[in-house]
Every structure is written in C-alpha cells, then in structure tokens.
Amino acid sequence: MDWFTASEYWLSRQALTRGVAAVYLIAFVVAARQFRALIGEHGMLPVPRWLERRSFRRTPSIFHLHYSDRFFAAVCWFGAALSAAMVAGAADAVPLWAAMLLWATLWVLYLSIVNVGQEWYAFGWESLLLESGFLVIFLGNDRTAPPVLVLWLSRWLLFRVEFGAGLIKMRGDRCWRDLTCLYYHHETQPMPGPLSWFFHHLPKPLHRAEVLGNHFAQLVVPFGLFAPQPVASIAAAVIVITQLWLVLSGNFAWLNWITIVLACGTVSGPAAAVLPVPTPPALPGPPPWFTAAVIAFTALVVFLSYRPARNLISSHQAMNRSFDPYHLVNTYGAFGSIGRTRYEVVVEGTDEPAVTARTQWKEYEFKGKPGDPRRLPRQWAPYHLRLDWLMWFAAASPGYAESWLGPFLARLLQNDRATLRLLRHNPFPEAAPRFVRAQLYLYRFTTPRELADTRAWWHRTLVSRYVPPLSLDDLRYRSRSGRR
C-alpha cells in the first residue's frame, strides 16, 4: 500500500515519537514534584473537592475511580518511567499493538491529571501535549512504515499552532500591527529568562524586524507545510529556528519544544540525509487492522476539526481552547495582547506578635518569577513552574487568584513543607510567621547604566497593598464567611 505509508519519513517518526515522549517525561515529573501543594488532598485546590462537583463525562479521569496522594504520585512516577522507556525506544521493541497500547496509556494518564488540575493546568501546552500524544498512538513503530495520513495530521496540528498564534496577534493588540510589541514583551512576559534583559535592550529597529519575522513565520510559512518536499522541510526549518529564538528569550514551559518536535515530523528522509543518522530499515506494510484504525482516527480528526477551523477564520477567535474534554483537536494561540508595564505580587511575612508601622517584613523568594531586583532571571523551560506562572496572572488581576491565593497564604502561615518546596527561599525556617501580606510592585528592567551602577537587573516601585496583613485566624474567618 504505497499510498498509505512513506518509509522515507522513518527518521521523522523517530524524532516525533521520541520528542513527544521526552515532553511527557518532563510533564509527569513536574506533576509529581508539585501536585501535593497545588491539588493534593491538603493542597490549595484539592482534587477530591473538585471531583465532588464534576462528572466523569465532563472531566474524564481515572481519579474519579479513586484518589489519594499516594495513588496520584504513583500515576505520575509510572508515567515518567514509561515516558523514559519510550524515549529509549521501547515502542520499537514490542509488537505494533503493544506500542499503541503503551502510547495510549501515557495519554490516559496525562489526560487524567490535566482534567483534575483546575487553574494550575489551564495552559495551551497541556492540550497541545495531549493532542500530540494521541496522534503518536497511530504513527506505528518499526514494525511498519509511517502512515501518510497521520503525518499529514501532524502537519495540520502544527499549522493550527503557528497560524492560530499569528492570527490572534493580528486580530488582537495594535502593537503587533504597528510592529512595536517587542518594545515591551521581553520585559512584561510571564517569566523572563536569563537573556530577556539583553533582548529587551536590542535596538528598536531590530525589535520591529523581529515582529515582521514572527508574522512571516506564523502567517505565511505554515502554508508551506502542505507543499511538496523540500518546501515543507524548509518551512519546518523556519519554524524550528523561530521557536529556538523564543526559547532563548523567555520561559514558556514546553510550548516551544513540542512545536519543534512537531516541525521535525515534517522533515522528509532526503532532507534529513545531511545528518549522521542510521539508514532507515526495511519497513513492511501495515496490517489490515492498523490501516483501519488509522483511517478511523483520520476521519475522527477531520470531523472534530470543524470547530477549530471555524475558530481560526472567526473575527472572534478564541485562544487556547479545547472543544471536547479529551483535548483531541484544539485551537491554539499566544500573546494576543501585550502588557506595557510589569506588575509583580511580592509576598512577605513577619514573626512579630503584632503588626505596627515598625514591623519588619521578610520577603518570600520564588524560583522563577522576578523578586529580588539583583537576581538574574533563570532558565526553567521546558520545566514548568505552575505557581510562578499563576502569580503573574494574579499581578495582572486579583480575579485570577481568587480561588487559590488565600489557601496559599494560609499554608505559608503553617510552614507547609509541600508549599515551601515550590519556593526558592523560606525566610522563616525555624517557625512559621504570624502574619503574611502581599504588596503590588511595578517592575521594569534597569538600563545598562543602572545595571553597571547597581548590579540590579530590575528596578521596582511599590504601587499599592495587594493583600493586607493577615494571620491564620484571619484567613480561617475569611474562608468560613466566603470572603476572598
């Protein structure tokens, strides 16, 4: 069945499947290391309480059957171990049906986590990983040549990621149209990286050129993915280069990396021949049952693509939205609007018995988000610091933190170990503070002259009180009375 398979994409399949497995590995490790404080039985947004108000139909998850922190941790670490095995090539060492079962297991486990993750998992790259993970179930292994239909579906996914991001920008903030968004973006993005200060201080004409290059990469290049080779491979290479540029300029979890993986799945064998890679093995044709499964999967994706495709052409385009609880075919986009100023919520505590005008407050340091002005932002991506990201949203609007900020502060007042592990520094290692508060600061990158004089990467100015000084009793009273 020459029309059904394409052996020249053997290397592309290897890159796509093992790349998705690597991202799965990171995602499961992130979940294992952070869930107790975020969604555990005693977390800020406990899974058991969430499941009481949700049906399996609305939020399909194995945790409807049973939840405990021990079981959740077992799911995460089993998923991480299986992902590592798939990175090492386990899928090629077993029969085709077994490989599909292993990929399906990873997808079910991560879907189960995402669907109980609440605000902490409301990011587009969760849906992107799940959609990619479901797609690779049908890519096969070394027991058969790569199916052409699934390779085209991977291009359709990559097209939606890139073209959707380009359209949301052109329809959104005016600065994308007048080419000035990068005057602000590197400074105001959710979590700057170690090079963001330098990107911010590039000449403005280069910033405008960056925006033009972004529009070309996201609005023109994606159509080349559907062109004959080598045009499709060239389009994929342009996407990889632009994604690596984004990797250097900030921290966006695994969004850029999984986009790179999808682009690698577009490169054909001849285009990849310049690399020192093994010669593709002689791959047999697919068994009839596999052909039927791929055709059925393709028909399902075509059917489910109607709403995402309609969203792309809509003047009211939604960004990062799933149209079904299984996250099978989604719509994507990023940074439809750009902030001109950066605000940060700074959390502080004191162990003094009463709050006065002379109270000495000590600041909690987060791992990724800006805090100490002298601390250079770190590179965390593709690892995802979920609390740090939500703190950025909280600074933009208190409404984003309504459900979890109170429980977070309460756990600081208890020196909760799981919560403190999410932070870089606990200023109260011996005993919990008696009061905590949150202050809203305006942050901006220092100028080169200021950096030379003060060795500070940021300049910050107090704007207002964000949360007044609260004790644990205050927070308990607020919780009982239904106040934030």
Side-chain angles (χ1 to χ4, degrees):
M1 301 181 65
D2 291 340
W3 67 270
F4 187 80
T5 58
S7 295
E8 66 271 21
Y9 283 90
W10 170 81
L11 180 62
S12 303
R13 178 171 64 186
Q14 291 288 326
L16 186 51
T17 55
R18 300 199 188 199
V20 169
V23 177
Y24 263 137
L25 173 59
I26 295 166
F28 280 116
V29 170
V30 169
R33 291 176 57 85
Q34 300 181 24
F35 85 92
R36 291 183 189 276
L38 302 180
I39 59 174
E41 292 174 287
H42 305 289
M44 302 175 213
L45 300 176
V47 169
R49 188 187 306 166
W50 168 261
L51 292 177
E52 289 174 0
R53 307 189 303 271
R54 296 293 186 278
S55 66
F56 181 89
R57 181 180 177 182
R58 291 181 61 187
T59 55
S61 171
I62 61 174
F63 298 115
H64 280 282
L65 303 176
H66 171 72
Y67 182 86
S68 69
D69 284 356
R70 181 174 296 180
F71 180 58
F72 193 99
V75 166
C76 293
W77 289 117
F78 176 75
L82 181 55
S83 301
M86 301 299 262
V87 172
D92 292 325
V94 298
L96 178 57
W97 64 267
M100 297 178 70
L101 181 60
L102 293 177
W103 285 117
T105 299
L106 285 174
W107 179 80
V108 168
L109 295 181
Y110 199 65
L111 175 72
S112 296
I113 293 172
V114 170
N115 278 348
V116 299
Q118 304 164 73
E119 283 91 330
W120 308 108
Y121 280 77
F123 296 96
W125 48 76
E126 312 294 355
S127 295
L128 182 55
L129 176 54
L130 286 169
E131 185 171 350
S132 303
F134 198 78
L135 184 145
V136 299
I137 296 173
F138 300 91
L139 267 177
N141 62 1
D142 279 353
R143 307 299 175 97
T144 183
V148 171
L149 291 175
V150 182
L151 293 172
W152 280 101
L153 293 180
S154 72
R155 298 186 192 191
W156 167 232
L157 171 54
L158 180 58
F159 177 87
R160 280 181 283 122
V161 170
E162 288 292 286
F163 195 59
L167 287 178
I168 203 74
K169 292 180 176 68
M170 295 302 291
R171 290 169 172 155
D173 203 315
R174 179 179 178 180
C175 68
W176 289 115
R177 298 188 293 276
D178 64 23
L179 309 182
T180 61
C181 271
L182 293 188
Y183 293 0
Y184 322 101
H185 167 70
H186 298 301
E187 181 178 64
T188 63
Q189 63 182 303
M191 195 182 302
L195 298 179
S196 298
W197 184 95
F198 301 94
F199 274 84
H200 177 70
H201 289 293
L202 290 173
K204 287 188 175 181
L206 185 53
H207 282 317
R208 296 171 69 88
E210 282 185 273
V211 177
L212 274 175
N214 178 86
H215 291 337
F216 175 73
Q218 293 188 327
L219 294 172
V220 178
V221 170
F223 289 94
L225 297 171
F226 303 109
Q229 297 292 358
V231 175
S233 293
I234 294 171
V238 172
I239 290 172
V240 169
I241 292 170
T242 57
Q243 292 298 317
L244 289 174
W245 185 263
L246 294 173
V247 168
L248 291 174
S249 65
N251 284 287
F252 303 101
W254 51 79
L255 174 62
N256 308 121
W257 291 106
I258 200 164
T259 305
I260 289 170
V261 167
L262 289 168
C264 290
T266 301
V267 180
S268 70
V274 296
L275 301 174
V277 296
T279 302
L283 300 173
W289 66 266
F290 181 67
T291 301
V294 168
I295 292 174
F297 168 63
T298 303
L300 175 65
V301 172
V302 170
F303 174 76
L304 294 177
S305 291
Y306 170 72
R307 294 177 72 182
R310 186 179 65 177
N311 180 72
L312 278 178
I313 62 176
S314 170
S315 59
H316 302 288
Q317 179 189 1
M319 183 173 65
N320 294 326
R321 182 177 174 184
S322 296
F323 297 96
D324 65 85
Y326 296 96
H327 303 263
L328 294 179
V329 184
N330 314 288
T331 186
Y332 303 99
F335 296 105
S337 63
I338 297 295
R340 273 46 170 188
T341 53
R342 179 182 198 90
Y343 295 98
E344 287 290 344
V345 175
V346 174
V347 181
E348 301 170 325
T350 182
D351 53 8
E352 296 178 16
V355 175
T356 69
R358 296 184 179 182
T359 294
Q360 297 296 312
W361 294 93
K362 298 179 182 179
E363 181 177 335
Y364 286 88
E365 272 288 326
F366 289 74
K367 292 181 177 179
K369 87 176 194 70
D372 180 359
R374 291 176 176 267
R375 187 162 67 93
L376 177 69
R378 302 293 193 264
Q379 182 65 40
W380 283 94
Y383 193 86
H384 184 22
L385 298 173
R386 299 187 182 279
L387 176 61
D388 294 63
W389 265 79
L390 265 291
M391 289 296 293
W392 179 78
F393 284 103
S397 171
Y400 287 111
E402 186 173 352
S403 62
W404 56 267
L405 184 59
F408 170 60
L409 297 177
R411 281 152 182 78
L412 293 183
L413 286 164
Q414 297 168 315
N415 260 4
D416 178 66
R417 291 177 60 188
T419 302
L420 292 173
R421 279 197 290 267
L422 301 179
L423 304 179
R424 180 173 182 264
H425 171 64
N426 173 25
F428 303 97
E430 303 299 329
R434 297 193 181 189
F435 295 89
V436 293
R437 71 177 185 180
Q439 305 280 77
L440 186 67
Y441 281 83
L442 173 67
Y443 273 64
R444 66 166 176 81
F445 275 135
T446 55
T447 65
R449 179 62 181 271
E450 288 172 329
L451 176 62
D453 291 343
T454 66
R455 299 192 178 185
W457 300 96
W458 296 97
H459 179 278
R460 72 181 186 182
T461 306
L462 180 63
V463 175
S464 65
R465 183 181 70 183
Y466 191 84
V467 176
L470 296 171
S471 67
L472 191 56
D473 288 339
D474 294 331
L475 284 166
R476 287 169 176 163
Y477 171 75
R478 285 181 168 227
S479 177
R480 289 194 299 269
S481 62
R483 296 172 59 194
R484 180 178 162 270

